[in-house]
Amino acid sequence: MIRNKVALISAVIILGVCMYLYFPFPNNVMLDARSTFMSFPIHNQDGYILLGLIGSVMFIIAMILLGIGMKKYQIRTIVIAVIVYAILPNVLITMYQETLANGIKAISYDGNGNCNFENVSKNQLNGECDFILHNRSNKAVTFELEFLDSIFLEDQLRMESLMNTAGPYIITIGANQKKSIHLRELLNLSNVQDHIESGGSSNVHFKLIDGETTRTL
């Protein structure tokens, strides 16, 4: 079943290096990516990402070595390896958060938050955001939350970050608690330039702040 042990071991080592290069913790490594391959950001607003390109090439080489190392079931083995590679980081992160992590490092986010903005007057918007955060530790966690703008907004208009004008938002999540958070604010934008007039967004991102420690989710 195994044709070449050296090729198999090399494939595993290379995959380990690939995962290390862009492990999605403690921050969301895909936050600024415009195009991606597997776990690698390929292109962002500043251009191509060299390390992401190198990681992508290494991943392809690892898959080739995996096929060379197997005497049969090459395609099946490669498919299984891709699936395991895709889900393993989240499994490892969850295990860490439920056992060793504390503070904001124990907070997880499914990425499905959304915000909507409705025009009230020339300098006022109603802003409303909904998202779910999960504290996986055995202690309550308190932090400040700051909204981040999407990189896909045209003309660098501000959108999600407009919610920060009504902040700061201090949030406490109990031990092992999944908390649904709903924020609704009347936003005064008289001193804010380059903002949207109305609209909505999904998959919102934000920064968690606890003293000098920060995370982007």
Side-chain angles (χ1 to χ4, degrees):
M1 190 170 180
I2 296 177
R3 177 187 298 163
N4 190 321
K5 288 185 178 181
V6 174
L8 283 178
I9 294 173
S10 298
V12 172
I13 293 174
I14 293 174
L15 287 175
V17 173
C18 288
M19 190 174 295
Y20 174 78
L21 287 177
Y22 281 103
F23 195 75
F25 187 86
N27 299 309
N28 182 347
V29 295
M30 295 295 189
L31 188 61
D32 297 327
R34 293 182 181 270
S35 59
T36 63
F37 173 75
M38 292 301 293
S39 62
F40 305 103
I42 302 300
H43 186 267
N44 61 18
Q45 68 271 21
D46 298 320
Y48 287 99
I49 303 171
L50 180 59
L51 191 59
L53 292 172
I54 293 173
S56 300
V57 172
M58 290 176 62
F59 182 86
I60 294 172
I61 291 174
M63 292 299 100
I64 294 173
L65 289 173
L66 197 60
I68 292 174
M70 300 299 294
K71 185 177 296 185
K72 56 181 180 179
Y73 306 126
Q74 290 97 334
I75 300 300
R76 185 183 304 178
T77 301
I78 291 173
V79 170
I80 292 174
V82 170
I83 294 173
V84 171
Y85 183 87
I87 66 174
L88 185 58
N90 289 330
V91 173
L92 293 176
I93 291 170
T94 299
M95 291 175 59
Y96 170 71
Q97 289 185 318
E98 292 182 347
T99 55
L100 300 175
N102 55 64
I104 58 175
K105 289 185 177 180
I107 301 296
S108 64
Y109 168 53
D110 61 10
N112 293 325
N114 63 82
C115 289
N116 290 285
F117 299 88
E118 183 180 21
N119 185 272
V120 175
S121 64
K122 181 179 179 181
N123 292 316
Q124 289 186 319
L125 291 179
N126 275 328
E128 190 171 3
C129 295
D130 293 278
F131 51 93
I132 297 175
L133 297 178
H134 189 181
N135 175 15
R136 298 182 180 275
S137 73
N138 293 320
K139 294 182 179 180
V141 179
T142 299
F143 53 87
E144 179 183 340
L145 185 141
E146 179 182 305
F147 286 88
L148 301 175
D149 281 320
S150 168
I151 63 170
F152 299 106
L153 285 175
E154 296 181 359
D155 301 321
Q156 296 183 333
L157 292 177
R158 291 184 60 182
M159 189 175 190
E160 295 93 335
S161 69
L162 296 176
M163 292 294 290
N164 297 331
T165 61
Y169 300 102
I170 306 300
I171 296 174
T172 298
I173 306 179
N176 299 301
Q177 179 186 1
K178 184 179 289 187
K179 186 171 185 177
S180 179
I181 298 172
H182 175 78
L183 300 174
R184 182 177 176 85
E185 304 286 352
L186 178 61
L187 307 174
N188 184 349
L189 306 180
S190 56
N191 296 319
V192 179
Q193 297 181 344
D194 300 325
H195 61 79
I196 62 164
E197 297 299 327
S198 63
S201 64
S202 57
N203 308 117
V204 299
H205 299 286
F206 30 73
K207 180 187 294 184
L208 307 186
I209 304 169
D210 181 13
E212 296 184 356
T213 304
T214 64
R215 286 186 65 197
T216 55
L217 299 174

